[in-house]
Amino acid sequence: MPRRGMGVELVLALVLALLVVGVEELIEGGTLRLLGVGTAAAVLSLLRRRLPVPVLLVTTALSVEVVGLILLEMVVGWSAGRRIAGARRALAAFTGAYVVFMGTVALTNWSEVQQAVETALLLTLAFLATTVIPGLSSRHWSQRQTLLHALQERNAQLLWERQMVAGQARLVERQRIAQDMHDSLGHQLALIAVHTGALEVDPELTGRQREAVGVLRNASVTAMHELREVVGILRDGVAGTPAPVEETGRAARGTAGVGELVEAARAAGNTVELRRSGEVRPLAAAADHAAYRIVQEALTNAYKHAPGAPIAVELRYEPDSLVAEIVSGPATAAAGDAVSGGQGLTGLRERARLVGGMVHAGPTPGGGFRVAGVLPYGVVEASPLVAEEDLPGAFPGASPNAVHEGGPRAMDWSVQGWAAPGGPAGLPAPPSGRPRPRLSGLGLGCGIAMVALALLAAAAVGGVVFLMDSMDEGMIDRAEYDQVTVGESEESVRGRLPSGETVVTTGLTGKGPKRPPDSSCLVLMSSESSESYEEEPVFRFCFRDGVLVEKKAYDVVR
């Protein structure tokens, strides 16, 4: 047991011992008796967890003679209800405790019990209130907590398994998409590269045409390299952004490659101006790649939707971030049938958000179009999804109603109060350990306590009513005693007096002066109170051969 738990047990044992000693001192004093009762209460309290059944039986037996142990009996009953495994064992333990309880009462007060059924009923009610009800309440609370924990663990396991199945399905789908892309796009790009390479060396082409064919061949080779990388990511199931690298026929995919993107656009016949301002500062690999993609996508959109329009590309190195802004003028020629999936700008916004930046795209007052991205220099967490009106001055001229879009957020894995770290392939790791229940047992405990108190109150009221009725069967006043004379017939005397068969006269029969030989006596309590708290005035009527042979009034020490 932990130290904290042991400390609580010691304090509880001390409190119970003091309470039991205090109750016992009010009823019957004696230093040695009080010392023994307190020690027994403390020892039984400490042993109730390890030996629930023996402690329950011993406490029940001792509570018959030591009234103060009733307090300990309630605690022991609560503890036994939780710790006895199996319903049959618990039923057997509490039944055995009841048998021990009633057997001890019968052994200590046999002469009274055999003639007073009311005593057994009252003691049974007391046993139910002090032992059985706490035990049942504790067992119900413990089983409910165990069931809650099992359901929570099962729910967490099912959620994790569902995540695993979904992750495997995504990986299979990625592999299928990767295979389709490789088989279709790879073949077409390879054909374009081969034919443009052959066309480039055709002697009938002019220099200008040969230069344009070279641009097409370089573009197809670069597209093949990027397709190979995307296919690899889809097959591996690992999304990452590589650092800028140099490859033959391929521009560096970062801010260093923006110049080559502009040169390729100029070679294709577009008017493109590139401006750089501010002190050049390095970006994180993911942010650097995002800047390259923003410029590339903006130029592609300008080619498709505004052919012949002048384009201005500007990279501004601000104190805290890089601003990549691409502005295209109004179209000077009719746009052709451009193929567009409608996902380019959405993908740019998500790419920028993942590195802590943002992207705005919208028309300009002169009829052109602007794409601007703000990217931090360092590696930061993904920015929250915010409206642009919450960021005044970020994009001059931006639409006041524009809202940044974002991809799906990470799943919030918080079943029953724990956070699971990421597992393989981005899946959450399986839950470990027992989760902390969200529902506290305080409400249930209070409800059980209220029910127990209500039952105890009902038992107390019933006991008071029972005692008041019993008083009439076991008590007379001095006038009734004086009206009875020695020599009257037993039938006449018993007809005028109560029967005396009640719990209130228990323990009075065997005390007092010696009875006449061969006589049977009726002992009744007096309605008058004694001067001493420990003495009880009684009246005794003894009969022999059907005649009253003696009547006496005396005090009995309880």
Side-chain angles (χ1 to χ4, degrees):
M1 180 183 297
R3 293 183 179 179
R4 182 179 178 183
M6 180 59 70
V8 172
E9 286 298 313
L10 291 175
V11 171
L12 179 61
L14 179 60
V15 171
L16 287 175
L18 293 177
L19 291 176
V20 170
V21 169
V23 173
E24 193 65 20
E25 186 177 10
L26 293 176
I27 298 176
E28 187 171 352
T31 304
L32 293 179
R33 178 182 174 85
L34 295 179
L35 181 61
V37 168
T39 303
V43 172
L44 290 174
S45 176
L46 293 175
L47 293 178
R48 77 183 196 284
R49 288 174 174 265
R50 188 172 295 274
L51 303 172
V53 176
V55 170
L56 177 64
L57 298 177
V58 173
T59 304
T60 303
L62 294 179
S63 64
V64 176
E65 291 296 322
V66 184
V67 180
L69 288 179
I70 293 178
L71 300 175
L72 176 64
E73 188 177 359
M74 298 176 68
V75 177
V76 170
W78 176 275
S79 181
R82 292 188 62 184
R83 288 174 172 78
I84 298 178
R88 294 182 178 179
R89 292 186 59 186
L91 178 62
F94 280 92
T95 303
Y98 175 73
V99 171
V100 170
F101 178 74
M102 296 304 297
T104 305
V105 173
L107 291 176
T108 55
N109 302 281
W110 174 249
S111 59
E112 287 80 6
V113 171
Q114 64 181 350
Q115 59 183 3
V117 180
E118 297 91 344
T119 303
L121 296 177
L122 185 61
L123 292 176
T124 300
L125 184 61
F127 179 80
L128 291 175
T130 59
T131 306
V132 176
I133 290 179
L136 291 177
S137 302
S138 172
R139 192 169 188 84
H140 171 72
W141 180 81
S142 177
Q143 290 179 347
R144 182 178 182 275
Q145 291 300 107
T146 302
L147 178 61
L148 275 177
H149 291 158
L151 290 177
Q152 291 164 358
E153 291 177 353
R154 178 61 176 167
N155 183 53
Q157 186 68 23
L158 288 176
L159 288 176
W160 178 74
E161 290 177 358
R162 187 177 68 179
Q163 284 293 99
M164 290 292 294
V165 172
Q168 292 296 328
R170 284 195 297 269
L171 291 179
V172 172
E173 184 64 16
R174 282 180 177 180
Q175 292 178 356
R176 187 190 66 78
I177 295 173
Q179 188 64 39
D180 289 344
M181 291 176 63
H182 180 271
D183 294 342
S184 59
L185 296 181
H187 175 71
Q188 299 298 330
L189 289 175
L191 287 178
I192 293 174
V194 170
H195 287 289
T196 53
L199 185 61
E200 189 177 9
V201 298
D202 190 342
E204 296 182 1
L205 295 180
T206 64
R208 177 63 177 170
Q209 293 173 337
R210 190 173 289 109
E211 183 180 355
V213 172
V215 171
L216 292 177
R217 184 181 61 81
N218 290 335
S220 62
V221 172
T222 302
M224 289 180 63
H225 284 296
E226 295 186 0
L227 177 62
R228 186 182 302 115
E229 185 176 284
V230 171
V231 169
I233 291 175
L234 289 174
R235 285 177 174 172
D236 297 338
V238 179
T241 302
V245 295
E246 294 285 350
E247 291 185 7
T248 303
R250 175 184 175 192
R253 296 196 304 163
T255 54
V258 171
E260 296 192 16
L261 285 175
V262 171
E263 290 298 330
R266 290 172 180 169
N270 296 278
T271 302
V272 184
E273 180 184 0
L274 174 62
R275 295 191 300 269
R276 299 177 188 266
S277 61
E279 182 182 356
V280 178
R281 297 176 55 182
L283 282 80
D288 197 39
H289 182 67
Y292 177 86
R293 287 302 189 193
I294 290 173
V295 176
Q296 185 184 48
E297 181 65 24
L299 291 175
T300 302
N301 287 340
Y303 303 157
K304 293 189 294 185
H305 303 294
I311 305 172
V313 179
E314 183 177 6
L315 298 179
R316 295 197 304 269
Y317 290 89
E318 303 289 348
D320 56 351
S321 60
L322 169 68
V323 178
E325 187 174 18
I326 303 91
V327 181
S328 61
T332 59
D337 296 333
V339 179
S340 176
Q343 301 297 321
L345 293 177
T346 301
L348 289 184
R349 291 190 179 101
E350 178 63 14
R351 185 187 295 272
R353 189 185 70 85
L354 291 176
V355 297
M358 60 182 65
V359 170
H360 164 72
T364 62
F369 198 82
R370 173 190 291 140
V371 177
V374 179
L375 304 170
Y377 293 123
V379 179
V380 296
E381 296 294 333
S383 61
L385 305 181
V386 296
E388 291 178 1
E389 54 265 26
D390 296 333
L391 300 171
F395 300 107
S399 172
N401 297 322
V403 179
H404 292 289
E405 301 177 7
R409 299 184 180 181
M411 176 171 287
D412 183 15
W413 183 260
S414 55
V415 180
Q416 308 309 328
W418 70 83
L427 295 176
S432 60
R434 172 165 290 186
R436 181 178 300 175
R438 291 182 179 177
L439 299 177
S440 173
L442 180 60
L444 178 62
C446 291
I448 293 175
M450 293 299 295
V451 173
L453 289 176
L455 292 176
L456 288 176
V461 172
V464 170
V465 174
F466 175 73
L467 289 177
M468 295 297 295
D469 294 339
S470 298
M471 288 292 185
D472 296 337
E473 295 295 328
M475 181 180 294
I476 60 174
D477 55 21
R478 171 65 67 171
E480 291 177 289
Y481 172 77
D482 293 337
Q483 291 176 1
V484 177
T485 58
V486 178
E488 291 188 49
S489 65
E490 180 178 359
E491 182 180 359
S492 174
V493 173
R494 289 187 180 274
R496 287 151 45 196
L497 297 178
S499 64
E501 297 180 354
T502 176
V503 67
V504 298
T505 60
T506 302
L508 301 179
T509 303
K511 300 179 181 179
K514 185 178 180 181
R515 298 188 302 177
D518 300 329
S519 63
S520 60
C521 298
L522 171 63
V523 179
L524 301 175
M525 295 176 58
S526 173
S527 60
E528 300 176 355
S529 60
S530 176
E531 297 180 357
S532 175
Y533 175 77
E534 297 181 352
E535 295 182 351
E536 184 72 40
V538 298
F539 301 122
R540 187 178 70 184
F541 304 89
C542 295
F543 306 94
R544 184 174 55 210
D545 298 332
V547 178
L548 178 64
V549 295
E550 181 190 63
K551 71 171 187 175
K552 280 186 176 296
Y554 54 90
D555 293 334
V556 174
V557 179
R558 283 284 189 180

